[in-house]
Amino acid sequence: MTPLRLCVVGVGHLGKEHARILSGLTGVELVGVADVSFAQAEAVALRCGTRAYGDFRPLLDQVDAAVVVVPTVYHHKVASEFLRRGVPVLVEKPLAPDLAQAEDLVDLARRANAILQVGHIERFNPAFEELQRRPVRAKFVACERLGPFSGRSTDIGAVLDLMIHDLDLVLTLAKSPARTVEALGLSVLGGHEDVAEAWITFESGCVAHLSVSRVSAAASRRMRVWESDGFAEVDFARRHLSLTRPSDELRRQHAGGRPADAATLALMKAELHGRYLQTQERECPSPGDPLTRELEDFVGAVRGGGRPRVTGEAGRDALALASRVLESIRRHRWEGRAAAAA
């Protein structure tokens, strides 16, 4: 089998991990890595057994596919060069800094008949995959994505840096367009928002509440999904899924349509969790880490000509919803000025 020739453009904190994984994938030849910091490119190239470039353009005609992990503001500039040549591209999330650039990348990929994949890595988290194997009809979704300040991705705010993950996941669960979006944001460090809250109502009737912060003391990546018949909790960090469903006894109680008597209420108070609400705890191991599986999905799509799990259209839709969140934040801007004394 002829090796698939790939390159990685941008080999900083995350890009170097893309390069490391690709250099070890069977059937893949990492022909080069590029970074504006040539010293960084050289260091990564040495570890991965490939060539270093200070500019990505010499790689345009050397590869069968490319992975773009540059700062968000340069996603369009780099990815579009490959797509115009019909070269498939995996672009880290978010697809672009604004919707117009995202639409252009999707259009370029369509016209060139080239694969465009977006790096929404949580789609490959085994706990979320396990949730999706079930017939989920989400009525309310609560997402919490909090973390300490990393010093990275300062060219964008917490919505495009963090919330974009959960916007993509909620769109996957809701399976319908958003009807209303209300949001608030706060800049703690100056510049872009570092904390944000969003409330979204979808055409399906599903409601979502999303919380993000990149200045928290402790990290948390959780999602809670309420259905008409129970609820689920996904812990992305632990790759753990918790499923809670009503027991047959509680279902019969509901079906009867009568208020519970005093004896039943006493039992419910004492034995609600266990007898009436039954929870299954599921550890969700996977054969590889999510980033490796994301890259394998990309390589497989390029080789087989199929659709990647996270298409350019999906990345564009997540960015479109993020844009509505940011617009709502701008409408609800709070400067923290106390009202003047009467």
Side-chain angles (χ1 to χ4, degrees), residues 271-338:
E271 302 179 44
L272 179 62
H273 291 277
R275 178 170 178 172
Y276 293 98
L277 293 177
Q278 298 172 346
T279 300
Q280 296 179 341
E281 304 289 350
R282 295 184 178 274
E283 301 297 333
C284 302
S286 70
D289 66 276
L291 184 56
T292 297
R293 295 175 60 236
E294 178 182 83
L295 289 167
E296 289 173 340
D297 184 61
F298 178 57
V299 169
V302 174
R303 279 199 180 281
R307 285 169 61 87
R309 184 175 301 184
V310 187
T311 61
E313 288 81 0
R316 175 205 60 200
D317 292 346
L319 183 62
L321 189 50
S323 298
R324 293 178 66 180
V325 170
L326 289 169
E327 176 57 32
S328 183
I329 288 174
R330 284 190 285 270
R331 289 199 310 269
H332 294 91
R333 186 177 298 278
W334 176 66
E335 302 297 340
R337 298 191 185 97

Side-chain angles (χ1 to χ4, degrees), residues 89-102:
V89 179
L90 167 61
V91 182
E92 258 304 331
K93 63 80 195 167
L95 175 57
D98 59 61
L99 189 55
Q101 291 185 32

Side-chain angles (χ1 to χ4, degrees), residues 23-34:
S23 69
L25 286 187
T26 302
V28 169
E29 178 188 358
L30 183 63
V31 300
V33 296

